[in-house]
Amino acid sequence: MTAELVRGQNHTLPQTRLEIRVSAGTPVVAGATLGDERGTVHGIEWIAHPGSPQLPGLEVSRQAAADHRLAVDLDAMPAAVHRVTVLLALPLEAGGPVRFGAVAAPFVAVTGLEGTEIATFTLTGLDAESAVAALELYRRQGDWKVRAVGQGYAGGLAAMLADQGVTGAAELARSIHEAVARGMARSVAPPPPRTPDGDRVRHTAAIGDPAPPVSPPAGPAPSRPTAATDSTAGGPTAGVSTGPINYAHPRRQATAPPPPPPTAPPAEPGRPAQPVAGDATGWSMEERLYNQVWGMFEDLARTTAAYRSAVDFAESRMDQELDRALSDPRNRIGGAGDRAREEARAKRDQLTDRARQALDRDLAQLAAESAVVEPALPAAFAGWDNPVWHAYRVPMEIPMALRIGDLHLPENPDLRIPLLVRLPLERGIWVDSGRTASEAAALTDTDRLRRLAMDNAVAHAARLLAVYPAGEFSVHVIDPAGSAAAALAPLVNSGVLAGPPASGAGGVASVLAHLTRRVDLVQMAIRAGAADSLPPELDTAEQLLIVNDFPHGFDDRAVTQLRYLADEGPSVGVHLLMVADREDASAYGPVLDPLWRSLLRITPVADDHLADPWVGHAWTYEPLRTPPGSRVLEQVLAQVAAARRSGRRP
């Protein structure tokens, strides 16, 4: 029976391998400290946080997220550790909440490996605090217990760490927030939260058993109906499916209006229902497909996390068994030691094989779902090779999102998840033309990387122009040295640009001044409640600025204006698409760090730099490319230009 704790209450833990699950409703930083009998933390090596997420017997998330799963193995803790304190803090994010009193009360659950809740605690009563010690696991007379703490700190993470005796708490807190900022900069933004009725349901079950629903009592529900854990793997997991993905989605009808979502064909006895396109909540097929793609993204992230966790556990258990066996001198000679090694490796292989079977089962289900979803995607969600582009017509309304690439994991590189970003864009995009650590970049010379980066930017601009109604999206280009003339040819020749590409220092200054003025005027009009008083010559369409070869041609004033556009532009319809090598701007030092972090970084070749918002995997990003010899991009731009000339409006 689950113990629902209140502040100060404790509960005996029946096992030592645990998960601590956090649901906060808003991104939070999760960490943990290890303390001695008095609770003193004896240095930074006793603290697990996003910048250093692993300690013996403990692993925390690598980034801020609304939901966390912390893996705990109390038997693997050093003997000097008598207390494990779970910490939560609000990230120092521009525009984000600065106190827990402004967000939903965080919910923390201590669970077994199979997902069964042992104790829960809802952190109510917080107000000005921006950091909180949520709960602690402590050793008392050889047994481990959990205590609900709920101690908040208005002074933030630094004050909380200082209270635990950490030397240099302020510097450590600053480094943790910097690590979180780096993680958030590379993280794909999750879709907007749904209404409670629209949440999808996650199930957990033993193999072959019916799947009873398991949902956390507070905070947002997990997003898709896969199994939560795999108890057969024997280790802490985060989403390993113990059965096939359930495509029935029993609560879907609660929010989607008529007509109902498509119904899957009847399944053969003993087989899961076949996936269908649009099998998710939503008021339209577009919204259902969008939610379905994000559900596939989360399912793949969580089932892979579970597999990796199970493999790590199998390796750790093998090492522990070998250490115990070989600690006896009698086993170090003769055949006893060899038998111990063989038995430990056999157990490791058995656990790993079970985890792989569960992963392969989930991957097969997701591959089947992808096979039916891809052909059904609208143009904004589809790759350039999708036949939907051959039937392209200028739309009458803005779509929900835009596809800017594909994501995959090394466990199955062929299973690609569309990377969809919401429209209007909430942050700018940076196409990194520098040499990254990826194998694809290492095999590509510098000049070709720069050309591919600009080709990639042009393709993204073309997609944005194509999915907006005629006249509702304008594109400006800064090309200081004119080095991107060949790549820009499709945009220039079709006549879809707002003006010729700006070159030289004068051209850079002119375009930046024009867009900065637009941001200022729109902001002033909004603040004054006089949006109808904007100058008649002001272009009210969404604006995209493509910047090539930054910082060439930029003086200090131009750099300041660019940073201003990156920070203030998206809220009033001005967006950046940067093509740059960060090393070229190294002379500016940390001054430009906020600029790079504010942009979504993508690459012109495959690179594993993006992270998901659930477990923080490093996903390989693949840019979208037009099929060899295809003129689909030119044909689409020609239709956009024709619609503009005809003055067509929705």
Side-chain angles (χ1 to χ4, degrees), residues 228-248:
T229 58
D230 183 0
S231 58
T232 64
T237 61
V240 162
S241 175
T242 57
I245 294 173
N246 178 1
Y247 290 100

Side-chain angles (χ1 to χ4, degrees), residues 206-279:
I207 296 176
D209 290 345
V214 176
S215 301
S223 76
R224 276 166 64 91
T226 58
T229 58
D230 183 0
S231 58
T232 64
T237 61
V240 162
S241 175
T242 57
I245 294 173
N246 178 1
Y247 290 100
H249 297 286
R251 293 173 62 189
R252 170 167 292 119
Q253 297 286 346
T255 56
T263 303
E268 298 179 18
R271 292 180 177 271
Q274 293 301 308
V276 294
D279 194 18

Side-chain angles (χ1 to χ4, degrees), residues 76 130 242 244 263 266 307 357 365 368 375 461 533 587 602:
S130 60
T242 57
T263 303
Y307 167 71
Q357 290 170 9
Q365 292 286 337
S533 64
I602 59 177

Side-chain angles (χ1 to χ4, degrees), residues 26 41 50 90 123 128 172 223 246 321 329 419 430 437 446 513 541 569 604-605 623:
T26 190
V41 180
L90 293 170
L123 284 77
L172 177 59
S223 76
N246 178 1
E321 290 179 350
L419 174 55
W430 164 30
T446 302
V605 293

